[in-house]
């Protein structure tokens, strides 16, 4: 078997709150997006009051077939004007400062609007009924998806979390929010988005408090944005800092007789290191250290500022290794030591509830069914299409893939074309949360996004990760917006195959091949190493794949190929560093992407728009019913993913797996072999 992977860092590096583990696999799951009924979301995260639209330069797209020759690509200036940022003598394209921020501005409803909301609440559906003075409760724990979720699905949805916070901001029946923050299994980009909404909610004057029974760096990052933090006496607080680890398989492979034959292009192509090395390379160490420094530095700055401390105070506290909840209270890192029932009693007293009355509360799921229309938050007549792309990229849906998960090029392209052909949408936003996948699929989607950008403004909004194939998609948009801690870039290639000859000899297995054609056995003969001419062809194919990716990135970002080469070579960047190097245009979340889309579409910033979701919440009821009976002690789903991982992919992969700040066990792109073993052992 052979795989070609366009990626940057260790193929499976998992960075979580305290540990960044890196490991490798050579294939990617083939998942899919669901069909496209429409769901509307009105946009109220408007930027500051009306102002004259600043001048801007729309990117002029050419949709001719891309010529990968360097001579034609060098120095092409087809992109938007960007600021220039000097960095140690080098001049990089910096983020545009004249883009609207999309910052939330809380505005009191007029008397007429308040009156219409009261009328709508009187005729609301039964499931939308909420008592006055109710507290919205949300338990933030486990995985958080960037896709919409149906009421039949478990888990949390980032768009629904954010929408609930916005609704609670204006809902006259909601007096405040009570957050339960526990161990999270998502990247830092989603955490930044939720944190921003918490800060926006506080502008309404309503209270928002956090309860943290199990808290590490990521959870505390969220909780620190709330007005108050409570924890039980036995709480697990582990604010010990972040680490980075790398795992290497070469020694294991040598013992069992497997020889990895890897071709690396670019000094940061550390995915191959997992197979060919026994220690971390200097380049890999440099890249991972930079990522770690960025995230740790941002965490120190945001948390210390929120708690009214200095960065040095927080660093000193962490370096003391404090785990006692009493110390956290004494030094002002939490508000009080309370059990959950004590916090509820305190909130009841604060709201003037009688002692014999229970505090009225509504949970995340029920409140998600309250329509924005009911609260007077419906959008305007101008519509912006929102297309979400989450998960691994494949060209067609695999029979083994789970419905409504992953990015399937065929279905994604249908959505893109429907937006391009429709006159109802003034602009489009592509929301990306993907480490990549099939390179051909990525290129086909790149083409369709560019065609769409010919007819209307397109803005790419990055979530946790938009790297390799995910960045391939994003770079086709006119403007790219990412969070400070989004992981992006990863423009690069590594390719290889396993020589299993020694293993076959050890276990007594033999394989013979009859072939026609000089290179017919290039991918079929895993029982022997490459011949010299085969190795040369294999290396050339990898070099060609890398050159196409890099040159298209340079073309899309209006950058000379030589400059793009400095930022490519498979390196992963945080959003902040990517912005300073011209790989993205602006720092922010979905609200800023909407504001920029309005700017590009000549829609005044103070005018509300309707954001139309071109995807349905998943899984649907039929999908749930079709899956009943297919799971036995959790192994069924893992086996499906494992089989996909072991299935030979159709050609080049544009993928960066694993660099996500979270626990390995909760990581959607983690190696399924380990998950399978865990499920099997737990079933005994």
């Amino acid at each position: 078997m052979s795989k070609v992977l366009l990626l940057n860092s260790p193929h499976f590096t998992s960075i979580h709150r305290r540990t960044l583990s890196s490991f490798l696999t050579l294939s990617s799951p083939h998942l899919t997006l669901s069909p496209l009924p429409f769901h509307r979301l009105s946009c109220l995260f408007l930027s500051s009051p009306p102002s004259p639209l600043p001048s801007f330069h729309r990117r002029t797209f050419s949709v001719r077939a891309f010529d990968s020759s360097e001579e034609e690509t060098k120095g092409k200036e087809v992109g938007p004007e960007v600021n220039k940022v000097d960095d140690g003598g080098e001049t990089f394209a910096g983020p545009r400062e004249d883009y609207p921020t999309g910052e939330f501005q809380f505005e009191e409803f007029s008397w007429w609007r308040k009156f219409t909301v009261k009328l709508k609440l009187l005729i609301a559906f039964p499931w939308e009924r909420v008592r006055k003075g109710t507290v919205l409760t949300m338990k933030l724990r486990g995985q958080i998806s960037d896709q919409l979720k149906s009421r039949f699905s478990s888990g949390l949805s980032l768009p629904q979390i954010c929408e609930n916070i916005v609704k609670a901001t204006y809902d006259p029946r909601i007096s405040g929010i009570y957050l339960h923050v526990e161990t999270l299994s998502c990247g830092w980009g989603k955490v930044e988005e939720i944190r921003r909404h918490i800060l926006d909610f506080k502008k309404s004057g309503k209270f928002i408090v956090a309860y943290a029974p199990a808290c590490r760096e990521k959870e505390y990052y969220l909780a620190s944005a709330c007005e108050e933090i409570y924890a039980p006496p036995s709480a697990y607080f582990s604010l010990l800092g972040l680490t980075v680890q790398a795992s290497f398989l070469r020694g294991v492979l040598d013992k069992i007789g497997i020889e990895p034959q890897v071709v690396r292009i670019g000094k940061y192509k550390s995915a191959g290191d997992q197979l060919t090395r026994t220690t971390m390379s200097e380049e890999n160490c440099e890249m991972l250290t930079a990522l770690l420094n960025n995230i740790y530095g941002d965490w120190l700055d945001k948390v210390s500022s929120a708690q009214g401390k200095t960065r040095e105070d927080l660093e000193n506290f962490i370096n003391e290794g404090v785990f006692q909840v009493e110390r956290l209270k004494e030094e002002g890192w939490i508000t009080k030591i309370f059990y959950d029932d004590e916090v509820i009693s305190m909130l009841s007293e604060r709201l003037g509830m009688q002692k014999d009355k229970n505090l009225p509360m509504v949970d995340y799921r029920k409140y998600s069914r309250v329509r924005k229309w009911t609260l007077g938050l419906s959008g305007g007549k101008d519509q912006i299409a929102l297309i979400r792309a989450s998960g691994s990229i494949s060209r067609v849906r695999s029979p083994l893939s789970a419905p409504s998960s992953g990015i399937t090029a065929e279905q994604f392209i249908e959505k893109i074309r429907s937006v391009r052909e429709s006159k109802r949408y003034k602009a489009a936003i592509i929301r990306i949360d993907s480490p990549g996948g099939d390179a051909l699929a990525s290129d086909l989607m790149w083409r369709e996004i560019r065609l769409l950008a010919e007819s209307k403004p397109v803005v790419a909004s990055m979530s946790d990760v938009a790297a390799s194939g995910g960045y391939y998609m994003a770079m086709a948009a006119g403007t790219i917006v990412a969070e400070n801690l989004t992981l992006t870039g990863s423009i690069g290639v590594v390719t290889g195959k396993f020589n299993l000859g020694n293993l076959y000899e050890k276990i007594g297995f033999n394989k013979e091949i009859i072939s026609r054609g000089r290179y017919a056995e290039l991918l079929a003969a895993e029982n022997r190493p490459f011949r010299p001419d085969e190795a040369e062809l294999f290396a050339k194919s990898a070099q060609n794949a890398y050159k196409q990716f890099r040159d298209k990135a340079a073309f899309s970002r209006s950058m000379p190929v030589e400059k793009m080469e400095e930022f490519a070579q498979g390196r992963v960047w945080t959003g902040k560093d990517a912005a300073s190097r011209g790989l993205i245009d602006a720092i922010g979340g979905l609200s800023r992407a909407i504001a920029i889309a309005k700017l590009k579409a000549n829609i005044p910033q103070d005018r509300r728009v309707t954001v139309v979701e071109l995807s349905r919440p998943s899984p649907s009821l039929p999908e749930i019913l079709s899956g009943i009976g297919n799971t036995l002690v959790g192994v069924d789903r893992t086996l499906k993913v494992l089989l996909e991982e072991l299935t030979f992919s159709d050609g080049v992969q544009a993928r960066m797996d694993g660099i996500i700040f979270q626990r390995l066990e909760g990581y959607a792109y983690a190696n399924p072999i380990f998950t399978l073993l865990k499920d099997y052992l737990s079933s005994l």
Side-chain angles (χ1 to χ4, degrees):
M1 278 192 188
S2 163
K3 304 282 182 179
V4 182
L5 307 159
L6 276 79
L7 42 80
N8 162 14
S9 67
H11 201 46
F12 272 150
T13 305
S14 174
I15 307 176
H16 52 79
R17 306 163 193 76
R18 298 172 53 194
T19 304
L20 183 153
S21 305
S22 90
F23 55 96
L24 174 70
T25 186
L26 282 182
S27 51
S28 61
H30 296 2
L31 307 174
T32 182
L33 284 172
S34 43
L36 56 103
F38 303 145
H39 292 269
R40 300 177 181 227
L41 294 174
S42 56
C43 169
L44 232 70
F45 337 114
L46 305 180
S47 55
S48 18
S51 58
L53 295 177
S55 62
F56 61 89
H57 296 263
R58 286 188 60 180
R59 182 173 298 180
T60 304
F61 287 118
S62 169
V63 293
R64 61 179 173 77
F66 182 80
D67 188 341
S68 61
S69 72
E70 288 192 20
E71 289 72 19
E72 291 195 24
T73 310
K74 286 180 183 177
K76 275 192 178 292
E77 296 294 335
V78 294
E81 283 190 358
V82 292
N83 298 325
K84 300 297 179 181
V85 179
D86 184 74
D87 187 1
E90 296 287 344
T91 302
F92 302 118
R96 285 278 302 273
E97 294 179 359
D98 60 341
Y99 282 139
T101 64
E103 183 180 354
F104 176 82
Q105 300 290 332
F106 178 75
E107 298 176 1
E108 286 282 353
F109 281 179
S110 65
W111 70 269
W112 173 251
R113 199 165 173 190
K114 288 180 181 178
F115 176 72
T116 57
V117 168
K118 286 182 179 179
L119 289 179
K120 290 178 179 179
L121 291 174
L122 288 174
I123 61 172
F125 292 118
W127 53 82
E128 295 183 294
R129 303 288 172 84
V130 176
R131 286 176 55 188
K132 189 171 180 61
T134 293
V135 174
L136 171 62
T137 64
M138 290 196 289
K139 292 185 178 181
L140 302 181
R141 108 182 125 208
Q143 293 189 3
I144 299 178
S145 169
D146 206 68
Q147 296 279 37
L148 292 170
K149 295 269 190 179
S150 74
R151 61 179 178 272
F152 304 109
S153 61
S154 59
L156 298 169
S157 162
L158 178 67
Q160 286 163 331
I161 290 171
C162 296
E163 182 178 289
N164 277 354
I165 295 175
V166 172
K167 289 187 298 189
T169 304
Y170 288 97
D171 193 336
R173 306 167 299 175
I174 298 295
S175 55
I177 296 178
Y178 180 30
L179 289 181
H180 280 241
V181 183
E182 297 187 45
T183 306
L184 293 168
S185 297
C186 66
W188 288 88
K190 292 189 182 79
V191 174
E192 282 193 279
E193 183 85 37
I194 297 171
R195 193 175 193 275
R196 183 182 301 110
H197 277 77
I198 291 173
L199 296 173
D200 290 343
F201 177 82
K202 291 164 69 174
K203 297 176 183 178
S204 68
K206 299 179 181 180
F207 70 81
I208 180 166
V209 301
Y211 180 72
C215 189
R216 294 187 177 180
E217 287 74 20
K218 191 176 293 181
E219 293 76 30
Y220 194 77
Y221 187 76
L222 265 186
S224 65
C226 299
E227 295 169 352
E228 301 165 12
I229 305 174
Y230 298 92
S234 55
Y236 294 126
F237 262 80
S238 183
L239 303 180
L240 303 175
L242 302 173
T243 63
V244 57
Q245 299 178 8
S247 303
F248 300 93
L249 301 175
R250 182 57 191 262
V252 177
L253 297 178
D254 287 344
K255 288 182 182 297
I256 60 178
I258 296 178
E259 177 194 5
Q261 295 190 284
V262 176
V263 178
R264 293 181 50 187
I265 302 172
K267 60 183 179 180
Y268 297 104
K269 292 274 60 67
S270 51
D273 292 354
Q274 307 291 304
L275 300 174
T276 60
R277 296 179 61 93
T278 57
T279 59
M280 189 184 296
S281 68
E282 291 184 8
E283 294 81 9
N284 190 24
C285 182
E286 173 196 344
M287 180 187 70
L288 295 179
T289 300
L291 291 173
L292 190 63
N293 287 342
N294 269 323
I295 292 176
Y296 189 55
D298 184 87
W299 186 85
L300 289 172
D301 291 339
K302 298 272 181 68
V303 170
S304 59
S305 175
Q307 297 299 83
K309 310 277 189 178
T310 65
R311 178 176 170 138
E312 292 71 26
D313 290 338
L314 182 53
E315 282 190 285
N316 292 336
F317 183 78
I318 288 173
N319 292 334
E320 287 182 36
V322 176
F323 59 88
Q324 302 95 332
V325 180
E326 293 77 11
R327 282 284 307 278
L328 291 163
K329 166 65 176 65
E330 289 171 8
E331 301 196 22
W333 299 106
I334 64 174
T335 308
K336 283 186 180 179
I337 302 174
F338 275 177
Y339 285 105
D340 180 43
D341 63 288
E342 293 177 302
V343 178
I344 293 174
S345 297
M346 180 270 297
L347 293 177
S348 296
E349 185 177 340
R350 180 180 297 182
L351 295 174
M353 298 290 297
Q354 296 179 11
K355 292 186 178 180
D356 59 340
K357 298 290 186 181
N358 291 328
L359 178 68
M361 294 188 291
V362 59
D363 64 20
Y364 160 85
R365 285 190 173 279
K366 181 177 180 182
Y367 198 66
S368 295
R369 302 179 70 187
V370 177
R371 295 168 298 164
K372 296 185 82 171
W373 175 88
T374 305
L375 303 173
L377 300 178
S378 53
K381 63 179 181 179
D382 294 318
Q383 297 185 8
I384 294 176
L386 175 59
I387 305 174
R388 296 186 182 272
S390 299
S392 180
I393 297 172
S394 59
R395 190 162 53 90
V396 295
R397 199 177 99 184
S398 163
L400 295 172
S401 63
S404 310
S405 57
I407 306 168
T408 303
E410 284 185 345
Q411 295 179 354
F412 182 85
I413 288 171
E414 284 179 12
K415 293 184 176 72
I416 292 290
R417 289 177 177 172
S418 70
V419 173
R420 190 176 81 225
E421 294 165 2
S422 174
K423 296 181 179 179
R424 59 192 289 207
Y425 305 116
K426 297 292 184 68
I429 296 172
I430 314 295
R431 175 73 172 178
I432 302 171
D433 186 25
S434 172
D438 186 280
L440 173 58
S442 301
D443 186 59
L444 295 177
M445 291 187 289
W446 176 85
R447 166 75 175 185
E448 293 295 330
I449 295 170
R450 291 186 70 85
L451 288 171
L452 174 61
E454 282 275 300
S455 60
K456 57 193 65 179
V458 178
V459 178
S461 172
M462 297 178 171
S463 184
D464 281 342
V465 56
S468 210
Y471 184 76
Y472 206 133
M473 296 170 62
M475 68 190 190
T479 307
I480 303 176
V481 182
E483 298 284 2
N484 264 314
L485 303 183
T486 293
L487 300 179
T488 189
S490 190
I491 303 166
V493 170
V494 61
T495 180
K497 80 162 189 173
F498 288 120
N499 170 22
L500 305 179
N502 290 335
L503 174 63
Y504 287 173
E505 186 177 344
K506 286 183 179 182
I507 63 176
F509 179 80
N510 184 42
K511 179 177 181 178
E512 296 184 2
I513 301 173
I514 300 174
S515 61
R516 295 292 182 272
R518 180 179 178 183
Y519 297 108
E521 297 181 16
L522 183 70
L523 304 179
E526 80 282 358
N527 58 333
R528 63 170 176 80
F530 285 129
R531 301 191 308 261
D533 59 331
E534 290 176 328
E536 181 181 0
L537 178 65
F538 205 63
K540 285 181 178 178
S541 68
Q543 182 65 48
N544 181 64
Y546 172 71
K547 184 173 178 291
Q548 287 188 19
F549 192 0
R550 179 204 61 196
D551 291 0
K552 284 188 178 182
F555 173 75
S556 299
R557 298 304 299 163
S558 310
M559 190 182 294
V561 171
E562 294 84 357
K563 182 60 67 177
M564 180 58 71
E565 176 67 16
E566 296 178 26
F567 308 143
Q569 300 190 52
R571 180 158 185 167
V572 175
W573 304 94
T574 59
K576 180 180 178 181
D577 284 348
S580 68
R581 288 160 175 79
L583 298 178
I584 68 169
D585 300 295
I587 296 295
L590 185 59
S591 59
R592 188 168 198 193
I594 292 171
I596 293 173
K598 289 165 68 175
L599 172 72
K600 298 280 189 176
N602 295 317
I603 301 171
Q605 292 297 305
D606 62 333
R607 183 186 299 172
R608 287 186 293 169
V609 296
T610 297
V611 178
V612 182
E613 292 262 8
L614 295 188
S615 60
R616 66 181 179 186
S618 63
S620 64
L621 181 57
E623 290 167 356
I624 293 290
L625 295 175
S626 67
I628 291 178
N630 288 338
T631 300
L632 179 62
V633 295
V635 175
D636 173 74
R637 178 175 175 274
T638 306
L639 277 172
K640 288 183 178 180
V641 178
L642 175 61
L643 289 172
E644 288 172 353
E645 287 284 327
L646 298 178
T647 301
F648 178 68
S649 298
D650 295 329
V652 177
Q653 293 286 293
R655 183 178 180 83
M656 179 220 77
D657 275 317
I659 300 189
I660 283 292
F661 287 71
Q662 61 182 40
R663 286 182 180 276
L664 173 60
E665 301 94 302
Y667 186 29
Y669 312 116
N671 191 332
I673 295 177
F674 298 117
T675 309
L676 179 63
L677 290 173
K678 176 185 170 186
D679 288 339
Y680 173 72
L681 292 174
S682 65
S683 68
L684 297 178

